[in-house]
Amino acid sequence: MRCDEICTLLEQEYSREYACEWDNVGLLAGRRDKEVKKILLALDATDEVIRMAADSGADMLITHHPMLFSPVKRVTDEDMTGRRLMELIRRDISYYAMHTNYDARGMADLAARFLRMQECTVLEEIRDGEGIGRVGVLEAPMTLKECAEFVKEAFAVPSVRIFGPADAVVRSAAVCPGSGKSTVKEALRFGCDVYITGDIDHHTGIDAVDQGLYIIDAGHYGIEHIFMADVKEYLEKVLTGVHMDCVPVKHPFLVV
């Protein structure tokens, strides 16, 4: 199947219209007319992932986070992004990114299902009632520590950080996969007990607690790695004759 046909199928389910204005999604490098027999799915287009795509004979690389956000003035081997682009083009690998459009149309509901949240609504709307994150209630009241253990198990993360007293009881919850600092105000507006997200800094965390919102930080990668298996499952339903692999889940840092 051609690359542009796969792009069309992706955008039927995860329309680019739902991406934030600052985002950069879609086909970012490579040929639209490329015949694709093998796809590799990853969260980020790192050097290791691009090598894996090349070594495995992948024709197309699909990631959640775009490798390109800002305009590129030159493509040379003098910087990291240039080298990555050159390698993708040299290997004739088409590169596609689906970021906040997937956050709105896939990731938010998926994360809420992992947490078995009920009575869900959108945390921050982007367009037409769709948007970033979800707000709802947990299946049953639990302590913040119990909720943290539940998050670890649900997303298979080795550790989480808690802002708030471990014995506090929580029931209403918000989840925002990835970096959730910018939507803390939305979780506060909804009156949530606990906010499950990633990339929360010291001051954001302690200020949230003083306003009555406890936080479980499962890391940026910790929740978002569910992207790979989910998009693979979707593509397997709509594509024939195309082999798909996911990069193994590998958290980017260790807590020692």
Side-chain angles (χ1 to χ4, degrees):
M1 182 171 282
R2 284 165 49 118
C3 172
D4 56 0
E5 295 173 313
I6 295 171
C7 293
T8 297
L9 289 170
L10 286 169
E11 289 163 18
Q12 284 176 357
E13 185 72 8
Y14 312 104
S15 172
R16 291 166 61 183
E17 294 181 349
Y18 292 92
C20 294
E21 291 182 359
W22 51 263
D23 206 359
N24 188 29
V25 300
L27 186 65
L28 304 186
R31 297 190 290 120
R32 285 192 172 274
D33 64 353
K34 168 75 175 180
E35 189 67 26
V36 176
K37 296 181 179 178
K38 187 171 186 178
I39 294 172
L40 183 66
L41 290 133
L43 205 67
D44 299 280
T46 63
D47 291 350
E48 181 182 13
V49 166
I50 292 172
R51 282 195 300 270
M52 191 178 299
D55 292 346
S56 67
D59 303 296
M60 188 172 185
L61 173 63
I62 300 173
T63 68
H64 180 47
H65 298 133
M67 183 172 62
L68 301 172
F69 272 113
S70 304
V72 176
K73 295 184 178 181
R74 61 180 61 85
V75 179
T76 73
D77 63 356
E78 296 176 337
D79 63 79
M80 180 178 65
T81 300
R83 288 192 295 272
R84 288 173 175 174
L85 284 170
M86 289 174 64
E87 183 66 5
L88 287 167
I89 293 168
R90 185 174 75 86
R91 297 282 193 160
D92 195 17
I93 300 171
S94 295
Y95 170 55
Y96 188 95
M98 42 197 299
H99 190 208
T100 51
N101 55 322
Y102 175 78
D103 284 338
R105 298 285 292 168
M107 183 86 81
D109 281 335
L110 183 64
R113 290 200 300 273
F114 269 59
L115 293 169
R116 301 199 289 273
M117 287 169 57
Q118 304 167 0
E119 304 171 27
C120 290
T121 188
V122 172
L123 177 64
E124 183 180 52
E125 183 175 347
I126 292 177
R127 175 190 178 107
D128 301 334
E130 298 282 1
I132 304 297
R134 292 293 183 266
V135 177
V137 294
L138 302 170
E139 279 189 319
M142 60 185 77
T143 66
L144 186 60
K145 185 177 188 300
E146 289 170 337
C147 189
E149 294 292 344
F150 175 50
V151 170
K152 285 170 59 178
E153 180 180 358
F155 295 103
V157 293
S159 63
V160 299
R161 296 188 304 140
I162 297 174
F163 290 89
D167 60 351
V169 176
V170 297
R171 179 74 192 278
S172 61
V175 60
C176 181
S179 182
K181 178 179 177 178
S182 65
T183 45
V184 167
K185 62 183 182 299
E186 302 299 331
L188 284 166
R189 181 171 64 84
F190 277 102
C192 297
D193 298 325
V194 61
Y195 182 40
I196 301 158
T197 186
D199 289 354
I200 297 298
D201 63 79
H202 169 78
H203 292 289
T204 300
I206 62 174
D207 288 349
V209 171
D210 277 350
Q211 296 174 84
L213 176 66
Y214 307 136
I215 292 178
I216 296 173
D217 185 333
H220 197 125
Y221 185 94
I223 300 178
E224 286 197 328
H225 68 78
I226 62 178
F227 158 85
M228 294 183 286
D230 185 50
V231 176
K232 180 176 183 285
E233 181 180 357
Y234 167 70
L235 288 175
E236 286 175 338
K237 292 176 182 177
V238 298
L239 298 181
T240 56
V242 179
H243 179 77
M244 273 158 285
D245 284 325
C246 295
V247 170
V249 173
K250 181 182 178 182
H251 294 272
F253 60 85
L254 296 175
V255 177
V256 297

